[in-house]
């Protein structure tokens, strides 16, 4: 018999985990399963450290945009992959009941999270810099080549970390454009709202890991620094 009866979904931006941790803890029941609905490879582990509780990681292929308070637009995708662990079956069942989603449990969540990280490395920064939806990347001369360069850097770093990205990753990236063409990345939404992005946990993660292994990742590094500059400008604009 499963021993967990409730699921708590954490979907604050990763940078807000520390601030949100006391609230998360105050809402926990004895059997609550915490599910991180956040991007990034190690963000569930970070939340687990902050709360002292087991946190299930997940990878979301669901494009949403909170266009105003209380108004969320779904722009495509309906797939969630959960890590396996205490309460994961109940959490997946609850998600499948609550919304027209396809929640599944993966026995190899590190690979799933690295694949999702690669999707985010490719699309989040490009969309945040250009403020364009994913369809634009399929239509812009040269964008495909940039996407491929980001992917190949991620592939080498993933391999150094012990994860082999799927051989058909280029096609998988293309499918993202097909499944959510009108979506602007969560990072683009942050920029449009004048907020800090999660870039340090996306391309920034690749750059840090690449540094540990002595791997050159110039394209990811360039995207990271451009977003840092945009964030700096947004922060300065808030001061005036
Ligand atoms: N948007 C998308 O399509 C996707 C997003 N993700 C991931 O999901 C996560 C959430 O992203 P997204 O939904 O876009 O982010 P949003 O910024 O739209 O939503 C974050 C929410 O967290 C709330 N929040 C912030 N700080 C706290 C706090 N200390 N206590 C309680 N609530 C807090 C915010 O409230 P307030 O508005 O009042 O500040 C806001 O409602 C991210 O990790 C993102 O990478 C993954 C896949 C797709
Ligand atoms: C699924 C996707 C790519 C949707 O835009 C996302 O994870 C994000 O925007 O952060």
């Amino acid at each position: 018999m499963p021993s967990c009866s409730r699921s708590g979904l954490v979907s604050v931006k990763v940078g807000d985990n520390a601030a949100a941790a006391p609230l998360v803890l105050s809402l926990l029941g004895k059997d609550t399963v915490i599910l991180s609905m956040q991007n990034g490879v190690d963000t569930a582990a970070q939340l687990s450290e902050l709360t002292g509780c087991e946190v299930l990681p997940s990878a979301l292929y669901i494009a949403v945009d909170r266009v105003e308070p209380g108004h969320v637009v779904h722009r495509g995708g309906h797939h969630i992959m959960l890590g396996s662990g205490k309460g994961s079956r109940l959490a997946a069942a609850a998600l499948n009941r609550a919304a027209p989603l396809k929640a599944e449990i993966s026995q190899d969540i590190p690979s799933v999270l690295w694949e999702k990280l690669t999707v985010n490395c490719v699309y989040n920064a490009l969309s945040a810099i250009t403020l364009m939806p994913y369809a634009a990347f399929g239509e812009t001369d040269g964008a495909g080549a940039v996407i491929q360069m980001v992917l190949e850097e991620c592939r080498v770093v993933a391999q150094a970390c012990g994860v082999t990205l799927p051989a058909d990753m280029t096609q998988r990236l293309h499918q993202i454009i097909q499944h959510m063409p009108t979506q602007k990345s969560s990072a683009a939404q942050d920029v449009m709202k004048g907020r800090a992005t999660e870039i340090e946990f996306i391309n920034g993660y690749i750059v840090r890991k690449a540094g540990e292994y002595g791997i050159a990742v110039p394209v990811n590094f360039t995207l990271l620094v451009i977003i840092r500059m945009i964030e700096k400008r947004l922060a300065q604009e808030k001061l005036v």
Side-chain angles (χ1 to χ4, degrees):
M1 278 291 286
S3 60
C4 305
S5 56
R6 291 200 303 165
S7 314
L9 313 182
V10 179
S11 64
V12 301
K13 287 278 157 60
V14 180
D16 292 323
N17 271 353
L23 176 64
V24 172
L25 284 170
S26 75
L27 296 172
L28 292 184
K30 180 165 71 65
D31 293 331
T32 312
V33 176
I34 309 177
L35 180 62
S36 163
M37 313 283 278
Q38 303 173 311
N39 281 329
V41 159
D42 63 353
T43 45
Q46 188 214 80
L47 192 58
S48 176
E49 217 163 276
L50 286 164
T51 56
C53 301
E54 189 183 338
V55 176
L56 287 175
S58 71
L60 271 80
Y61 287 89
I62 301 174
V64 291
D65 183 0
R66 191 165 46 114
V67 289
E68 56 183 315
H71 183 187
V72 175
V73 177
H74 176 223
R75 299 200 194 275
H78 61 279
H79 198 189
I80 305 182
M81 300 290 287
L82 275 61
S84 65
K86 187 179 160 209
S88 55
R89 283 172 54 190
L90 271 169
L95 286 168
N96 283 322
R97 263 197 318 274
L101 302 172
K102 188 172 158 214
E104 289 180 312
I105 297 165
S106 168
Q107 300 305 325
D108 182 13
I109 198 71
S111 296
V112 168
L113 294 176
W114 267 96
E115 179 177 339
K116 180 67 200 293
L117 178 72
T118 302
V119 168
N120 290 130
C121 284
V122 165
Y123 290 123
N124 286 33
L126 284 176
S127 179
I129 293 165
T130 61
L131 301 184
M132 289 177 90
Y134 300 157
F137 306 134
E139 293 158 1
T140 307
D141 191 21
V146 174
I147 286 170
Q148 198 63 29
M149 287 189 272
V150 177
L151 162 60
E152 291 314 325
E153 290 181 3
C154 291
R155 191 188 293 286
V156 176
V157 178
Q159 199 67 57
C161 294
V163 170
T164 303
L165 289 179
D168 64 347
M169 198 61 213
T170 303
Q171 287 91 310
R172 290 178 190 224
L173 286 169
H174 194 65
Q175 278 167 8
I176 297 287
I177 297 179
Q178 288 168 336
H179 290 158
M180 42 189 84
T182 62
Q183 173 74 348
K184 294 177 185 171
S185 70
S186 53
Q189 294 169 33
D190 287 331
V191 170
M192 288 185 287
K193 289 172 186 162
R195 299 181 312 208
T197 72
E198 296 178 308
I199 203 72
E200 301 294 340
F201 304 96
I202 306 293
N203 305 80
Y205 185 82
I206 291 291
V207 169
R208 281 195 302 282
K209 283 288 161 196
E212 285 173 27
Y213 291 99
I215 299 166
V217 287
V219 187
N220 276 281
F221 183 66
T222 304
L223 293 174
L224 170 66
V225 174
I226 293 172
I227 297 289
R228 281 182 182 160
M229 292 169 92
I230 291 173
E231 288 180 340
K232 201 171 192 143
R233 175 177 57 78
L234 293 172
Q236 281 165 353
E237 281 170 6
K238 266 195 196 148
L239 293 178
V240 289

